Amino acid sequence: MCRWAAYLGDAIFLEDVIAAPSHSLIAQSRQAREAKSPTNADGFGVAWYGDRPEPGLYRDVLPAWSDTNLSSLGRQIKSGLFLAHVRASTGGGTGRANCHPFVSGHWSFMHNGQIGGFERVRRVLENSLSDALFDQLEGTTDSELFFRVMLDEGLAQDPQGAVSRATSRVLEAARRAGIEPALKLTAAFSDGRALHAVRYATDGQAPTLYTAAFAKGVGRCIASEPFDRDGRTWHEIPQSSFVTMTRDRTSIRPFTPAAAALALAS
């Protein structure tokens, strides 16, 4: 499984999350503490927002700890909103197009988890996309495809609803393929204004997710595991939760797939 961290608040240097802390994202690429795979060496990526509506994007296939370009960029680039990811592949080759975050217009997305039986449902999910979104596919990962499905489900207008409907679409595709639905989804995504995250799994054992204040009056961060424990208080996000962060507040709401919500309502 992968490791990732995101930040929203006053502009800080990227290295303040990626490299500087005692258990930074680069440190987690060598030895994560709360993942099945302690080593995350199948590439990395950073998406950051600045003066333009669309994010900057840097991705490569090297292990994060050995890329001097990443260290140099982290020391120079400041941003008030960025997403950073180190990859341990659960499917899809090691290539730049398969590294997170993925970007579409002003949206960015990164994921830790997987679609169980992806090879059985991939074609159905791809065929369900609009032509424009199908043409945006660059890599071969279940994560990127899930992001495109979210966009197809109205991410721009209704972030939580889009993720809920996309989750339902994946689960229904599995059922129609005759396999037991199995989805692990711990993801973060942003439109350059708010930062959203979701933690959900069909078996109730979603990959970990935490949030913390970065510094008093500066900003907040959300991460797959804490990147330091030196005085910072981290709060675990409950299973089946949807998080929205703005510069003013953080909200945590229950999350269920759309189909499950309709079943409960009936």
Side-chain angles (χ1 to χ4, degrees), residues 203-218:
D203 64 359
Q205 300 296 318
T208 54
L209 186 62
Y210 295 87
T211 184
F214 185 80
K216 186 176 180 180
V218 173

Side-chain angles (χ1 to χ4, degrees), residues 78-102:
K78 295 183 78 172
S79 173
L81 175 54
F82 60 88
L83 287 69
H85 186 280
V86 292
R87 182 173 184 246
S89 175
T90 56
T94 301
R96 188 176 289 117
N98 285 339
C99 292
H100 309 221
F102 305 101

Side-chain angles (χ1 to χ4, degrees), residues 188-211:
F189 48 100
S190 178
D191 61 354
R193 297 184 296 272
L195 177 61
H196 307 279
V198 60
R199 185 185 184 196
Y200 172 79
T202 49
D203 64 359
Q205 300 296 318
T208 54
L209 186 62
Y210 295 87
T211 184

Side-chain angles (χ1 to χ4, degrees), residues 126-208:
E126 288 180 344
N127 289 343
S128 72
L129 294 174
S130 67
D131 289 343
L133 285 168
F134 180 84
D135 289 343
Q136 286 184 16
L137 285 169
E138 296 180 342
T140 58
T141 66
D142 53 354
S143 298
E144 183 191 5
L145 182 52
F146 189 87
F147 174 44
R148 307 299 176 189
V149 174
M150 286 167 51
L151 290 163
D152 206 38
E153 289 288 355
L155 181 61
Q157 295 77 33
D158 177 16
Q160 182 170 354
V163 182
S164 178
R165 292 186 292 273
T167 301
S168 180
R169 195 191 291 193
V170 169
L171 302 185
E172 181 60 24
R175 293 188 188 99
R176 293 188 178 187
I179 59 177
E180 184 67 24
L183 174 66
K184 291 187 180 293
L185 176 66
T186 298
F189 48 100
S190 178
D191 61 354
R193 297 184 296 272
L195 177 61
H196 307 279
V198 60
R199 185 185 184 196
Y200 172 79
T202 49
D203 64 359
Q205 300 296 318
T208 54

Side-chain angles (χ1 to χ4, degrees), residues 26-259:
I26 288 179
Q28 291 177 35
S29 70
R30 288 180 179 270
Q31 190 170 14
R33 297 172 181 167
E34 300 190 29
K36 288 184 178 180
S37 171
T39 304
N40 299 271
D42 296 322
F44 66 86
V46 184
W48 70 95
Y49 292 87
D51 294 332
R52 300 180 185 275
E54 68 277 4
L57 182 64
Y58 177 58
R59 302 182 295 178
D60 213 334
V61 298
L62 291 173
W65 67 76
S66 67
D67 191 288
T68 57
N69 291 321
L70 177 62
S71 298
S72 179
L73 290 172
R75 287 182 58 82
Q76 298 298 328
I77 295 174
K78 295 183 78 172
S79 173
L81 175 54
F82 60 88
L83 287 69
H85 186 280
V86 292
R87 182 173 184 246
S89 175
T90 56
T94 301
R96 188 176 289 117
N98 285 339
C99 292
H100 309 221
F102 305 101
V103 166
S104 177
H106 55 273
W107 284 97
S108 56
F109 171 90
M110 60 186 179
H111 176 222
N112 176 29
Q114 64 185 128
I115 298 174
F118 180 57
E119 67 284 353
R120 299 276 299 276
V121 301
R122 175 181 173 184
R123 182 175 178 182
V124 170
L125 292 173
E126 288 180 344
N127 289 343
S128 72
L129 294 174
S130 67
D131 289 343
L133 285 168
F134 180 84
D135 289 343
Q136 286 184 16
L137 285 169
E138 296 180 342
T140 58
T141 66
D142 53 354
S143 298
E144 183 191 5
L145 182 52
F146 189 87
F147 174 44
R148 307 299 176 189
V149 174
M150 286 167 51
L151 290 163
D152 206 38
E153 289 288 355
L155 181 61
Q157 295 77 33
D158 177 16
Q160 182 170 354
V163 182
S164 178
R165 292 186 292 273
T167 301
S168 180
R169 195 191 291 193
V170 169
L171 302 185
E172 181 60 24
R175 293 188 188 99
R176 293 188 178 187
I179 59 177
E180 184 67 24
L183 174 66
K184 291 187 180 293
L185 176 66
T186 298
F189 48 100
S190 178
D191 61 354
R193 297 184 296 272
L195 177 61
H196 307 279
V198 60
R199 185 185 184 196
Y200 172 79
T202 49
D203 64 359
Q205 300 296 318
T208 54
L209 186 62
Y210 295 87
T211 184
F214 185 80
K216 186 176 180 180
V218 173
R220 294 195 65 81
C221 43
I222 189 163
S224 52
E225 71 178 69
F227 50 74
D228 66 32
R229 298 188 185 273
D230 306 326
R232 199 186 312 274
T233 301
W234 291 88
H235 303 279
E236 185 174 4
I237 301 298
Q239 299 275 344
S240 300
S241 293
F242 188 89
V243 183
T244 297
M245 287 184 180
T246 66
R247 293 182 179 273
D248 300 320
R249 62 191 294 267
T250 298
S251 67
I252 302 173
R253 300 184 294 275
F255 176 85
T256 56

